[in-house]
Amino acid sequence: MPQSPLNSAANAPLIAFNKVSKFYGRGEATIRALDKIDLSIMPGEFVSIMGPSGSGKSTAMNIIGGLDEPTSGEYLFQGVPTSSFSRAQRTLLRRHMLGFVFQGFNLLARTSAAENVELPLVYRGMPHKERRGRAIAALAQVGLKGRENHTTQELSGGQQQRVAIARAIVTDPAVLLADEPTGNLDTKTSIEIMELITRLNRENGITVIMVTHEEDIAEYGTRLMRFVDGHLASDEPNVKEASRAV
């Protein structure tokens, strides 16, 4: 396994953008998805990212997740410029430091909850007994004890999202990236999922970065970023969440 380039400087941002831009196309057809964005996120924060379609919020999330690269500027993870990463090191970043939760769950059909949760550990080459134990523990952590052998087709939408969250946290990531995690859920289930994500942030110390278009969902974050036309239009503490947490 290639050596990870990451370090952990004390009191340093976990994630930082330094004049990050992302352009698509050329000439007059150029689309400026992100235009010289500066931001930093400290360990343990819960950041909600909002913005209309085409605002750049999803592009920013893709860069943070190592799924895309800036056209210019620098993305730093734990103080290390990711432009210096090899392909293998980028894979290590995603595999060991990041957990992903998507709107569409992205679970394997006709496969048990435990097997879905085990998948990231399979990629690590972890022995079956160890990864099954960790999968069962992760499912219990998200409230699905006793559902380990149920297939995705036997689970409700909310339960499927819980499986997806268990899969994201089974590797003990530093960051949970949630892209519209309640987009396919009803109001009651959305609240349950957001309370679960909030608990993981507060009790486990996982840094959460969430993209959403719903104001009530965004308010679970302790910090709100709003993107408009490729620019970071505002970045403020969420006073409502701070008062609710007290």
Side-chain angles (χ1 to χ4, degrees):
M1 179 184 294
Q3 187 175 2
S4 171
L6 304 179
N7 59 33
S8 55
N11 301 319
L14 179 62
I15 287 165
F17 279 12
N18 182 16
K19 305 297 181 186
V20 165
S21 295
K22 182 65 181 181
F23 301 159
Y24 297 99
R26 295 182 178 180
E28 294 182 0
T30 299
I31 297 174
R32 295 174 177 264
L34 293 177
D35 195 359
K36 298 180 180 178
I37 298 293
D38 289 320
L39 62 82
S40 62
I41 297 172
M42 300 300 291
E45 288 198 277
F46 185 160
V47 179
S48 296
I49 300 178
M50 299 194 71
S53 179
S55 64
K57 63 184 188 298
S58 294
T59 301
M61 179 73 95
N62 287 340
I63 291 174
I64 291 171
L67 303 175
D68 206 348
E69 299 179 41
T71 303
S72 63
E74 191 64 82
Y75 164 37
L76 298 96
F77 192 94
Q78 291 186 338
V80 180
T82 58
S83 59
S84 67
F85 288 11
S86 66
R87 180 175 295 182
Q89 288 169 333
R90 288 182 183 277
T91 299
L92 279 176
L93 173 66
R94 291 191 295 269
R95 189 174 294 173
H96 291 267
M97 305 300 291
L98 307 176
F100 297 85
V101 178
F102 302 98
Q103 178 178 345
F105 314 146
N106 289 5
L107 301 176
L108 298 176
R110 299 183 296 279
T111 302
S112 72
E115 289 169 330
N116 269 285
V117 175
E118 284 181 50
L119 194 57
L121 304 179
V122 172
Y123 293 143
R124 286 190 181 186
M126 186 177 290
H128 177 267
K129 184 177 181 180
E130 183 180 355
R131 68 176 187 254
R132 178 52 60 99
R134 289 184 63 164
I136 290 172
L139 286 166
Q141 193 172 1
V142 300
L144 289 180
K145 185 176 180 179
R147 300 276 182 172
E148 298 88 353
N149 296 318
H150 285 63
T151 66
T152 55
Q153 296 170 327
E154 298 172 322
L155 300 173
S156 67
Q159 289 172 331
Q160 289 184 52
Q161 191 62 298
R162 287 176 182 267
V163 173
I165 293 171
R167 181 184 59 192
I169 66 172
V170 75
T171 58
D172 294 324
V175 183
L176 182 66
L177 299 172
D179 189 358
E180 300 283 2
T182 61
N184 288 338
L185 305 175
D186 59 48
T187 301
K188 179 178 180 294
T189 307
S190 294
I191 292 172
E192 293 173 355
I193 292 299
M194 290 312 305
E195 289 177 346
L196 170 59
I197 291 174
T198 300
R199 177 167 56 83
L200 291 170
N201 169 249
R202 291 178 180 171
E203 298 180 6
N204 294 32
I206 297 176
T207 302
V208 177
I209 304 173
M210 177 180 67
V211 165
T212 182
H213 68 278
E214 301 176 73
E215 291 281 351
D216 57 334
I217 297 300
E219 287 180 358
Y220 281 89
T222 55
R223 182 174 164 194
L224 303 178
M225 292 184 181
R226 296 181 188 272
F227 281 75
V228 177
D229 295 333
H231 297 277
L232 183 56
S234 64
D235 179 1
E236 300 173 342
N238 181 10
V239 178
K240 291 183 180 179
E241 174 57 23
S243 63
R244 180 169 57 181
V246 173

